[in-house]
Amino acid sequence: MTFDELISLILDLKKNSGCKSINLNSNFVKKNDIYLSLSEDPKKNLEYLSIARSKGAKLIISSDRACKNRHSSIKYFPNLKNKLSEISNIFFDEPSKNLKVYGITGTNGKSSVSFFLHQILKESNLKAALLSSIKNKKKDVFFSELTTPDTFFLNQFFSNLCNENYKAAILEISSHGIHQKRIQGLDFNFGCFTNISRDHLDYHKSMKEYSRVKESFFLDNVFETCLINIDSSLGKKIKKISSNFYSISSKEKKADFFFDKNSVLHHDRKIYNLKNYSNSNFMQLNFAMAISLAIISKVKINLNKIKNILNPLGRFEKIEVFKGKYCVIDYAHSPAALETILNEINLSHNGDVISIFGCGGDRDKGKRKKMGEIAEKFSNELIITNDNPRWEDPLKIKTDIMKGIKKLSQTHFILDRKEAIEKGLNLLKFAKKDSVLLIAGKGHEDFQEIEGKKYSFSDRKIIHKSEDVNR
């Protein structure tokens, strides 16, 4: 079967057989859908094909030759994985071309910049949708389990937005999404690079490769314009890709947008004072990037209309749990993110800092010692606990973290995360005024992943349910 023949078959099913969707996951297949099987494991492939057929798949396309004559509804097509974006764009009629699409990438800040930008666009009366991995009941915010889902999910999402008369869409672009070509063929109008620091090296293997993947987002797509944070060598390199790209910096006054130490954004002889929009300098910088991105995409900014800007859940989420004593919940799970938030807490509070954190299992092991060093440097007491251990032994994760910690007398190890948080609250209760308990690593997440299962768990709920909260 040629590719043209495959496309003809797919479009015929769309037109004449009520086929409305294409899925890569057999569990999501509905009656008359098309299922694409990509598994390279023959046994799993047969299992997935059986599930798809039982759910009423009209057509199954597999890249496994062994499935070629198994059933009349199953078609064999080699190198199927390399044709996904073409199939997706043709099936859904390239809906991204009918929207203003923003793509936000970088190690840290993607969720915050996207969340802030969405609020700005809405206040400017632009009907905009945000696709987010943070569950949110806000109108026009849509949930995806993956930061950047697959091409069929995205095109289906865009198609639905067009049908509902949306004018813009905001996506967070992960390095995995770029590398696995989930966004290939989409039409991006605006891009943003927030920053770069160590993360996902279990996948990318080196900072050089990780940086190359991030840079490729700006090389491989054609934008109207982009906003690039040039406070890193990679940012400076990306800025040089196009004369249409704008720079933002908190270090270089000559940047197109300059965010100074007083939380004032400077651009084109205009100033935007962002001091009152957050008590976190990092969140203020993210807000500055959102404002700058809106400006270069020719959205009129009126700060008076966005006085009540909201932070995304689990991003520098500050709660007064005892009088004059606070808990901060944050998603920080990389060395740079942990250092940023701990540094901010120390600068803005005069009491003790108690830090609770762990490291994810089956992920970048090289960052664990570094995170231990950072946590010890900026904290008075530490509690090491489980994050998402996945299939890895939590004691091995703890040992790796402890390699960076010298003051063992000030460090507690409590495997159960709930007990660790309760211990942290007890330490905070008897700490001096203006002390802070930082719970880092999971932020908005409402689960804990252990040995292949996701268990209901939320740092936020434990804090809010504590009988001592607000006493």
Side-chain angles (χ1 to χ4, degrees):
M1 178 182 288
T2 66
F3 183 67
D4 287 343
E5 289 172 337
L6 177 65
I7 290 299
S8 179
L9 176 59
I10 289 173
L11 293 180
D12 181 66
L13 290 176
K14 178 183 178 182
K15 182 179 179 180
N16 300 314
S17 299
C19 176
K20 296 181 179 179
S21 185
I22 301 178
N23 282 288
L24 297 178
N25 188 325
S26 59
N27 292 310
F28 297 156
V29 169
K30 296 179 183 178
K31 187 177 180 180
N32 293 327
D33 279 0
I34 296 172
Y35 170 59
L36 305 186
S37 178
L38 303 175
S39 177
E40 297 177 358
D41 184 321
K43 290 184 178 179
K44 287 186 177 180
N45 197 29
L46 289 176
E47 178 187 342
Y48 299 153
L49 296 182
S50 178
I51 293 172
R53 285 190 61 203
S54 70
K55 288 178 173 288
K58 193 73 174 180
L59 173 66
I60 296 172
I61 306 169
S62 175
S63 55
D64 183 357
R65 186 182 291 274
C67 299
K68 188 173 183 179
N69 299 312
R70 188 167 291 275
H71 189 270
S72 60
S73 66
I74 302 174
K75 304 296 180 183
Y76 165 70
F77 188 84
N79 300 317
L80 181 59
K81 186 179 290 186
N82 294 327
K83 293 292 185 178
L84 297 182
S85 61
E86 288 182 69
I87 294 170
S88 179
N89 280 304
I90 292 171
F91 183 85
F92 290 103
D93 297 322
E94 300 181 294
S96 62
K97 289 188 175 182
N98 299 316
L99 296 161
K100 292 291 186 181
V101 181
Y102 296 79
I104 319 296
T105 196
T107 305
N108 299 308
K110 293 187 296 294
S111 295
S112 299
V113 173
S114 298
F115 197 70
F116 293 147
L117 176 63
H118 185 241
Q119 293 175 75
I120 293 169
L121 297 186
K122 288 190 67 177
E123 289 293 348
S124 301
N125 296 317
L126 182 65
K127 190 173 184 181
L130 168 65
L131 186 63
S132 175
S133 59
I134 302 176
K135 290 180 180 177
N136 195 306
K137 294 181 181 179
K138 296 291 183 183
K139 186 179 179 182
D140 305 320
V141 180
F142 300 86
F143 176 71
S144 165
E145 287 193 8
L146 294 176
T147 302
T148 310
D150 67 67
T151 180
F152 297 100
F153 183 109
L154 288 171
N155 271 315
Q156 178 80 72
F157 173 65
F158 290 144
S159 181
N160 292 340
L161 294 183
C162 291
N163 290 336
E164 296 175 22
N165 297 314
Y166 280 86
K167 303 303 179 185
I170 304 166
L171 304 182
E172 297 176 43
I173 309 299
S174 68
S175 59
H176 290 71
I178 300 168
H179 187 257
Q180 294 172 13
K181 300 182 178 180
R182 300 176 199 165
I183 59 171
Q184 189 176 53
L186 299 182
D187 194 77
F188 288 94
N189 300 88
F190 309 106
C192 178
F193 173 73
T194 62
N195 50 57
I196 187 80
S197 63
R198 179 177 183 141
D199 206 5
H200 305 304
L201 296 197
D202 54 297
Y203 181 86
H204 296 293
K205 306 306 179 186
S206 70
M207 279 300 297
K208 182 178 180 180
E209 172 61 12
Y210 178 44
S211 298
R212 185 198 67 77
V213 170
K214 288 293 189 185
E215 182 186 7
S216 72
F217 175 59
F218 300 94
L219 287 169
D220 296 344
N221 292 283
V222 179
F223 302 89
E224 290 181 30
T225 187
C226 291
L227 179 75
I228 310 299
N229 184 344
I230 60 170
D231 289 342
S232 67
S233 58
L234 179 60
K236 289 181 174 67
K237 186 179 180 183
I238 293 172
K239 171 63 177 66
K240 293 177 182 178
I241 291 173
S242 172
S243 59
N244 289 332
F245 288 4
Y246 287 80
S247 60
I248 185 169
S249 176
S250 58
K251 299 176 181 179
E252 299 188 21
K253 292 183 178 180
K254 292 184 179 180
D256 298 310
F257 293 85
F258 175 59
F259 183 68
D260 70 23
K261 293 180 179 180
N262 296 314
S263 302
V264 175
L265 178 65
H266 303 259
H267 171 66
D268 196 24
R269 298 182 181 179
K270 295 181 181 178
I271 62 170
Y272 304 84
N273 192 333
L274 310 183
K275 186 70 175 178
N276 296 326
Y277 288 89
S278 174
N279 52 14
S280 160
N281 182 261
F282 180 66
M283 296 304 283
Q284 290 168 357
L285 175 58
N286 289 334
F287 187 37
M289 282 192 275
I291 289 174
S292 304
L293 191 51
I295 290 172
I296 66 173
S297 59
K298 299 180 181 178
V299 173
K300 292 183 179 180
I301 301 295
N302 185 347
L303 286 182
N304 293 325
K305 293 182 67 176
I306 47 178
K307 290 181 178 179
N308 298 316
I309 196 80
L310 300 175
N311 282 1
L313 296 177
R315 302 302 193 272
F316 207 93
E317 190 170 347
K318 188 174 178 180
I319 306 160
E320 186 176 17
V321 289
F322 308 110
K323 188 175 181 179
K325 301 175 186 180
Y326 307 89
C327 173
V328 172
I329 299 171
D330 195 85
Y331 190 54
H333 60 278
S334 68
L338 186 62
E339 182 169 358
T340 294
I341 193 163
L342 279 170
N343 189 44
E344 288 205 358
I345 289 171
N346 277 278
L347 289 172
S348 56
H349 293 272
N350 296 316
D352 293 335
V353 177
I354 305 157
S355 295
I356 299 175
F357 82 104
C359 290
D362 303 322
R363 296 294 186 267
D364 180 9
K365 298 178 182 180
K367 70 180 181 181
R368 295 172 183 173
K369 178 183 176 181
K370 183 66 175 176
M371 290 181 72
E373 292 172 350
I374 290 167
E376 180 180 61
K377 178 180 178 181
F378 291 99
S379 308
N380 300 95
E381 286 202 66
L382 293 177
I383 302 174
I384 309 302
T385 189
N386 257 344
D387 189 278
N388 290 319
R390 299 180 179 87
W391 290 100
E392 194 171 352
D393 182 356
L395 294 178
K396 174 64 170 64
I397 298 173
K398 171 237 180 178
T399 299
D400 289 342
I401 295 172
M402 294 299 290
K403 290 176 182 177
I405 297 172
K406 298 177 181 179
K407 301 174 184 176
L408 301 183
S409 62
Q410 297 174 357
T411 304
H412 313 267
F413 177 65
I414 304 174
L415 187 65
D416 186 287
R417 193 172 178 95
K418 182 174 183 292
E419 291 180 10
I421 293 173
E422 290 171 346
K423 172 68 173 179
L425 284 168
N426 188 59
L427 291 173
L428 182 66
K429 186 174 184 178
F430 296 100
K432 66 180 70 170
K433 189 177 180 181
D434 205 28
S435 291
V436 176
L437 170 66
L438 170 65
I439 306 176
K442 294 183 63 60
H444 65 282
E445 290 183 348
D446 58 3
F447 65 87
Q448 195 167 24
E449 190 174 349
I450 304 172
E451 295 184 349
K453 294 183 179 179
K454 287 187 176 182
Y455 298 89
S456 179
F457 188 91
S458 168
D459 294 345
R460 301 175 67 254
K461 286 184 178 179
I462 292 173
I463 292 298
H464 285 292
K465 285 182 179 179
S466 171
E467 62 180 5
D468 289 321
V469 168
N470 294 326
R471 288 189 178 182

